[in-house]
Every structure is written in C-alpha cells, then in structure tokens.
C-alpha cells in the first residue's frame, strides 16, 4: 500500500467512527426528549383549556374591552375594574346574573361607584358566557374556579 492509500483508509475509518458516535448521541437525546413529553391525556386537557382561554379572550375583546379595558382596569368613575373584585371572584350565580342582565344600580366595587351602565348579554350562548367569565376569573390577577356552561344554563333557567 502506498502512503496516499493508507491516509485515505485512516480517514475513512475515522469518519466511520465519528458517524457512529454522533448517531448514538442523537439517539440518546431523542430518548430524553421523549421522556420529557407530557403524557397525551394531560396534553389534551391542557389544549382544551388553552382553546377555552383563547375563546374567552376573543369574547372579552369583542364585548367587554371597550368598557373594562384590556387589562381589566375599567375607566375611573365610568366602568369598574375586574381585577380581584368581590363580584368577579365571589358567588358565580351573582356574576353570571350581571353578565346576563347587565347592571345599572351603582354597584359598589372596591369602595367606589360608577356612573355608566352595563348592557345585558343574554344573547350570548351559555358556552360563550362561561368562556368569557372563566377568562376574567383567571386573568387580571384573578385566580378562581372557571364557570361552566351548565352553571350559566341553570342561572338562565332560574330567572325565567
Ligand atoms: C358599556 C360598558 C360595559 C360593557 C360593554 C361591559 N360592562 Fe361590565 N360593567 C359596566 C359597568 C358600568 C358596571 C357597573 C354597573 C353598576 O354599577 O350597576 C359593570 C359591572 C361589571 C361587573 C361587576 C362589577 C365588577 O367590576 O366586578 C362585572 C363582573 C362585569 N361588569 C363584567 C363584564 C363582562 C364580562 C363584560 C363583557 C361580556 C362586560 N362587563 C361588559 C360596564 C360595562
């Protein structure tokens, strides 16, 4: 064998060895990633929650944002905030009732009253009211149990 062929052979062997090493490292990485993935059932629940959250945000943006603002701050003297108020965090029936019927009674929110009035949203579907209220109850610094479509339906039926 001449020197040039020896050199080629050595290079080929090196290339083969390093290719092997790389592929086994990649495999290890893939396996680690697989382990870290969330189990499918949990992932589905999370996706479902994300979809509802997005839906709630969409409804909020369409129907509530003009008065209560994107960050839920409301507008001083006109529209009350939705940040950690007793109405948002408290009794769900009362909260659902406000959205279904609107409010024009000078509710006291964090010690202040507001001069604007809130129109009724009874034309929204149970699912839509549930989604927007779940969004409000878990946004703007709020942390409370979501509202379900069944709960909205029950309040609607009680009022009829
Ligand atoms: C035209 C302005 C307006 C719109 C639109 C509006 N609100 Fe209101 N909202 C008000 C006003 C004004 C009050 C206080 C009414 C009162 O004092 O009787 C209020 C009160 C509330 C309250 C109870 C008080 C508090 O701040 O915790 C909640 C909860 C609420 N609104 C949620 C919503 C949601 C959810 C939407 C959208 C589906 C919405 N509002 C749309 C003006 C509005």
């Amino acid at each position: 064998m001449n020197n040039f062929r020896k050199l080629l052979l050595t290079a080929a062997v090196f290339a083969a060895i390093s290719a092997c090493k790389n592929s086994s490292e990649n495999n290890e990485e893939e396996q680690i990633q697989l382990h870290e993935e969330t189990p499918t059932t949990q992932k589905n629940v999370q996706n479902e929650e994300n979809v509802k959250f997005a839906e709630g945000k969409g409804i909020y943006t369409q129907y509530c944002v003009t008065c209560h603002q994107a960050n839920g701050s409301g507008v001083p003297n006109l529209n009350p905030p939705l940040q950690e108020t007793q109405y948002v965090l408290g009794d769900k029936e009362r909260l659902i009732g406000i959205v279904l019927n609107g409010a024009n009674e000078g509710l006291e929110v964090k010690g202040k009253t507001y001069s604007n009035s809130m129109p009724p949203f009874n034309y929204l579907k149970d699912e839509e009211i549930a989604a927007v209220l779940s969004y409000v109850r878990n946004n703007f610094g709020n942390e409370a149990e979501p509202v379900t479509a069944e709960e909205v339906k029950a309040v609607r039926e009680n009022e009829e």
Side-chain angles (χ1 to χ4, degrees), residues 8-156:
L8 268 187
L9 199 67
T10 333
V13 169
F14 261 109
I17 289 172
S18 64
C20 264
K21 250 177 113 182
N22 274 346
S23 79
S24 77
E25 272 167 17
N26 282 346
N27 270 344
E28 259 167 48
E29 262 172 40
E30 270 166 31
Q31 271 168 1
I32 290 168
Q33 277 176 357
L34 277 181
H35 270 289
E36 280 171 358
E37 269 188 36
T38 342
T40 351
T41 45
Q42 203 179 328
K43 238 164 71 178
N44 286 345
V45 171
Q46 276 174 357
N47 283 345
E48 229 171 80
E49 276 171 10
N50 287 343
V51 168
K52 274 193 202 151
F53 196 77
E55 193 195 343
K57 187 174 182 179
I59 295 165
Y60 185 84
T61 308
Q62 193 172 349
Y63 298 103
C64 324
V65 81
T66 44
C67 293
H68 293 288
Q69 305 297 296
N71 63 355
S73 66
V75 178
N77 304 316
L78 282 179
N79 310 304
L82 301 176
Q83 302 158 330
E84 296 173 70
T85 73
Q86 53 165 325
Y87 295 99
V88 170
L89 296 176
D91 184 58
K92 287 199 220 174
E93 282 179 28
R94 180 176 64 183
L95 177 62
I96 294 166
I98 289 174
V99 175
L100 282 176
N101 304 316
N104 186 18
E105 49 195 279
L107 297 177
E108 198 178 302
V109 183
K110 292 185 167 176
K112 296 196 178 112
T113 54
Y114 294 82
S115 60
N116 215 350
S117 62
M118 173 161 153
F121 289 93
N122 51 7
Y123 55 87
L124 292 180
K125 292 186 204 133
D126 294 342
E127 294 76 21
E128 292 173 321
I129 292 178
V132 74
L133 287 180
S134 300
Y135 169 77
V136 167
R137 274 163 71 93
N138 287 286
N139 203 25
F140 316 139
N142 302 317
E143 252 179 77
E145 211 181 80
V147 171
T148 66
E150 289 71 31
E151 287 168 327
V152 178
K153 190 169 176 238
V155 174
R156 231 196 266 267

